[in-house]
Amino acid sequence: MNDFLIVGGGVIGMMTAWQLADAGHEVTLIERGQCGHEASWAGGGIVSPLYPWRHPESISQLSRWSEDYYPELAERLLAETGIDPEYRQKGLLYLRVDDEAEAIKWAQQMNKPLERVDADFLYDKEPNLAPCFDDALWMPTLGSIRNPRLGQALRAKLQSLVNVTMQEGVEVQGLQYRNDQVVLKTRTGPLIAAQVILCGGAWTGQLLKTLGLELPVHPVKGQMMVFKTPPISDGRLLLERVVLADGRYLIPRADGRVLVGSTLEHADFDKTPTDRARASLYASAVAMLPALARCEVEHHWAGLRPGSPQGIPFIGPVPGIKGLFVNAGHYRNGLVLAPAATRLLVNRLLGQTPILDPTPYQW
């Protein structure tokens, strides 16, 4: 019997498996599809909450720890797998911020660099933006990561570890609790381990319902698009850094592609892209970066975020069920919070001093 069995092969599940394996434990990771191909693939990869000053302190604590860790994580994955997650720390420009005073106050309290800049500064950084902005807020330390490649690198890393067993294409149909032990029901038979960790994203609540438990985690649909942009003069990309306006964002990739996102929809577990969302995303993108109107829309997709009250994830033991733990409900910030959220749970599992106070994340 394995020491740990992890349900869900997204970034949260894979990072958890890696840390437990590094500590010398036998780990099995169960994923109904292919690891890294659900919300972890569908997001944008901004390594910060969109408007961090609008979030509870419990989110900010996880985010600060993770932001500091991401450069090291990306370097290690590149060195050990040969796959570059493309961590880029080019900063972020906030356009049309209504609560600027609150943003500046938050930045001062958090010792975060954030300043108001004029149009000359703005267009020097991003000359191709629409010529209608008088100023912006500038956060130079913000980074982004190419999340599909992060998933690929984590998957490759786990495949290289002899004490990790990855079982893809295995759907957990339900949970049972008998004789003080959690049993996973699958089409190929039951699975057990000394400790079970649920990292199933938007599906985590559905799994817990099979035990008669109600975890307030529900799917929130998000649609995005990516433009394929041509190279421009002087080796400069059409867009160099993340830009955010009116809740919509543009994210550049190292190869020149530009992502636009995202919608917020309550559509249960439906992941079908819609024409309405496509038109809305396209309009938002072109309003910020007019040259995108001459570029090809390469792909349009949808994913499901694990929504939770205030976006605060549940990290820790499931009350009343010995050996069952959960790490879910990160809402729009799964990639942002993943390093800290997984380390915090692993601290608990291994009896280590926690990196943060775990109280705000208890179920």
Side-chain angles (χ1 to χ4, degrees):
M1 181 172 67
N2 279 355
D3 301 325
F4 296 97
L5 197 159
I6 299 171
V7 180
V11 166
I12 298 286
M14 288 193 286
M15 285 190 184
T16 303
W18 186 8
Q19 293 173 54
L20 291 172
D22 266 359
H25 294 278
E26 296 290 330
V27 182
T28 293
L29 179 65
I30 305 297
E31 166 57 42
R32 66 176 191 162
Q34 181 174 316
C35 289
H37 271 236
E38 279 291 348
S40 298
W41 182 92
I46 302 174
V47 185
S48 169
L50 294 185
Y51 296 94
W53 55 90
R54 299 176 186 173
H55 291 269
E57 175 62 16
S58 54
I59 299 293
S60 295
Q61 288 183 341
L62 291 170
S63 175
R64 286 197 300 271
W65 196 97
S66 295
E67 286 180 62
D68 290 342
Y69 184 69
Y70 255 114
E72 175 188 336
L73 174 66
E75 287 181 10
R76 184 177 174 188
L77 285 170
L78 175 58
E80 297 181 13
T81 70
I83 299 172
D84 186 1
E86 290 187 15
Y87 178 78
R88 305 171 79 244
Q89 194 170 22
K90 298 283 190 176
L92 183 150
L93 289 161
Y94 294 92
L95 310 176
R96 289 196 291 260
V97 176
D98 295 331
D99 53 351
E100 180 180 314
E102 287 82 358
I104 297 296
K105 181 180 178 181
W106 169 87
Q108 292 171 343
Q109 292 173 341
M110 298 294 108
N111 197 28
K112 267 284 196 188
L114 180 69
E115 61 177 321
R116 187 170 182 265
V117 296
D118 61 18
D120 289 341
F121 182 99
L122 170 64
Y123 290 104
D124 179 66
K125 292 288 185 185
E126 295 297 343
N128 298 302
L129 290 176
C132 59
F133 302 107
D134 297 323
D135 52 38
L137 288 179
W138 166 237
M139 184 182 287
T141 57
L142 181 129
S144 64
I145 200 154
R146 196 161 184 168
N147 43 296
R149 295 193 179 184
L150 173 64
Q152 293 168 18
L154 287 168
R155 182 172 181 264
K157 177 60 186 178
L158 293 184
Q159 288 175 323
S160 73
L161 299 175
V162 296
N163 53 339
V164 173
T165 300
M166 297 175 64
Q167 296 188 21
E168 296 179 321
V170 176
E171 183 175 1
V172 177
Q173 298 172 312
L175 308 175
Q176 292 180 333
Y177 186 58
R178 57 186 186 224
N179 301 322
D180 288 336
Q181 193 166 54
V182 178
V183 180
L184 278 61
K185 296 186 293 183
T186 74
R187 286 189 176 88
T188 56
L191 296 171
I192 59 174
Q195 299 186 84
V196 175
I197 308 161
L198 301 182
C199 305
W203 288 266
T204 305
Q206 297 294 104
L207 284 174
L208 285 165
K209 282 182 179 179
T210 65
L211 286 174
L213 301 173
E214 292 288 338
L215 182 73
V217 172
H218 59 278
V220 181
K221 183 177 179 179
Q223 299 188 50
M224 296 187 68
M225 294 195 315
V226 61
F227 292 81
K228 188 174 183 180
T229 68
I232 58 177
S233 61
D234 302 324
R236 186 173 185 134
L237 302 177
L238 185 64
L239 186 73
E240 296 276 349
R241 51 196 47 80
V242 180
V243 178
L244 177 61
D246 307 320
R248 291 277 170 88
Y249 50 80
L250 298 178
I251 306 172
R253 298 304 195 202
D255 59 10
R257 287 176 170 81
V258 175
L259 279 70
V260 58
S262 65
T263 65
L264 287 172
E265 307 166 56
H266 295 276
D268 201 25
F269 288 92
D270 177 20
K271 293 191 296 179
T272 308
T274 64
D275 291 341
R276 180 177 180 180
R278 181 187 178 94
S280 176
L281 291 167
Y282 187 89
S284 294
V286 172
M288 284 187 274
L289 195 64
L292 290 176
R294 302 189 298 273
C295 299
E296 172 193 355
V297 175
E298 192 172 36
H299 189 38
H300 169 212
W301 68 92
L304 299 177
R305 311 175 184 90
S308 59
Q310 294 186 282
I312 300 173
F314 298 94
I315 307 171
V318 174
I321 307 292
K322 181 182 176 182
L324 183 60
F325 297 81
V326 65
N327 199 344
H330 303 77
Y331 192 31
R332 304 185 77 173
N333 297 312
L335 284 160
V336 179
L337 308 180
T342 54
R343 182 66 60 86
L344 185 61
L345 182 57
V346 169
N347 289 157
R348 172 68 183 254
L349 294 168
L350 301 184
Q352 301 166 340
T353 301
I355 57 168
L356 300 169
D357 178 8
T359 306
Y361 318 104
Q362 293 177 359
W363 184 2

